[in-house]
Amino acid sequence: MIKDFFYYEPVKLLFGEGALNQTGEYASAYGKKALIITTGTFFKESGLVDRLQRILKKSKIDSVYFSAVDPNPLHTQIDAGAAVAKSEGCDMFIGLGGGSAIDAAKGMAVAFGHDRPIWDFCIGEDVQVISAKTMPIIAITTTSGTGSEATQWSVITNPSSEEKPGIGSDNTFAKVAIVDPELMASMPPKITASTGFDTLAHAIEAYTSTASTPITDMMCEKAIRLVGLYLRRAVKDGSDREARNGMAFANTLAGIGIANGVVTVCHGLAHSVGGVCGTTHGETLACMTPQTFRFSMRANPEKYKNIGMWLRNEYFNEGQDLLEDSLEEVEAVINDVGLNVGLRALGVDDKHLDKIANGVIGYMGGSIEIDPMNPTKEDLIQILKESM
Ligand code: NAD
């Protein structure tokens, strides 16, 4: 029997080397003046921002550039970007970068459109609904990655409360997503590894969650096969076009996976660890995936046992303990791309664990509700301890 499901993915998606050149053609339906958001000035210095501005200009789109956004964007930076857009008369937000730039663009589109601080939409008793007042969003991804170009999610950090929720609604999908593997070639090996592991974690979690759909299951399978084929190659040689191309596709497929199947306990924990300790997202996931995988796999063995086979890009599943086999293949990826460190090495201390577990329950509760094992607070603490 096919499982009953609901599937939604409203993004116009343009994939391929050189796709950036068509940004103006597709974006011109949505606005006349764009705020281009990057995390820092790397893309200004590399010439990419100027190139994008020229491309937009050909389609009669003016643009202003905003770079005051950190990796793991802060709510205050999002409010500042929305204020600049207002004073400059922008009517569209273009995130040019990894998940941080794209999520910041989404947050600014919400804050600007509703004329309220973004944190009003994040956490609290009077949390606001993200309505169709949200301004148009264009996502140009340069990492592979978070899949943010294909999701409704925007992950926002509040350093005062040490919280890092993911927010989103049907109105926070990008109107247009540009997935141009050429833009990913400049990622250094460490960013390739950590962002690439995020893709694998998305595919595993969206596939094994109780919210999984038959459509996204196929996409997650393909994403896992592509990560198995290409992540090691992309980390070893960033100029390997075939590997960059494969990872770029895996990234977007897994993004569509989490737009529908969402994420489970490892992502719930990684958000809260990031909120409390400011860690890099993909590295945090790599620290905890072996333990969360081991914790949840026996609650959905038919699915978890496929993952090792797919990572080897095989089509037959044989052997004594296929769950252990899957776990070993995931651990091999982590080791081979140099992400085999514990949470302690990322700055997490025993004194943080209680707050991290409370954060998961407090604002990432969905991730544990749809995890096949439904972890309790004690389970979360145990997973964290074993991941140190
Ligand atoms: P990132 O956007 O934080 O980028 C990491 C660093 O890499 C930055 O310094 C950035 O400037 C640099 N960089 C990006 N592309 C580059 C390139 N091509 N060449 C050289 N340097 C480059 O990294 P990320 O992992 O893509 O995004 C992480 C953020 O996204 C976190 O906040 C995470 O929680 C969030 N996230 C969002 C979603 C979603 O669906 N919206 C999903 C997962 C994670």
Side-chain angles (χ1 to χ4, degrees), residues 95-133:
L96 172 65
S100 297
I102 297 172
D103 288 5
K106 292 177 180 174
M108 289 174 199
V110 172
F112 180 110
H114 297 78
D115 208 13
R116 293 185 80 120
I118 191 63
W119 199 249
D120 287 358
F121 300 85
C122 293
I123 294 177
E125 283 180 6
D126 189 27
V127 73
Q128 297 295 302
V129 172
I130 301 173
S131 76
K133 289 181 185 169

Side-chain angles (χ1 to χ4, degrees), residues 38-43 48 70-73 96-103 106 141-157 164 167 182-188 191 194-195 198 202 255 258 263 267 270-271 280-282 285:
T38 64
T39 48
T41 54
F42 176 80
F43 290 128
L48 188 61
D70 290 332
N72 299 338
L96 172 65
S100 297
I102 297 172
D103 288 5
K106 292 177 180 174
T141 181
T142 64
T143 65
S144 46
T146 65
S148 181
E149 72 282 1
T151 78
Q152 67 277 55
W153 311 120
S154 169
V155 182
I156 296 166
T157 298
K164 188 185 177 194
I167 62 168
E182 279 179 357
L183 306 183
M184 296 157 196
S186 54
M187 272 193 289
I191 296 179
S194 67
T195 57
D198 191 15
H202 287 164
I258 63 165
V263 287
H267 261 77
H271 278 235
T280 300
H281 183 63
L285 292 165

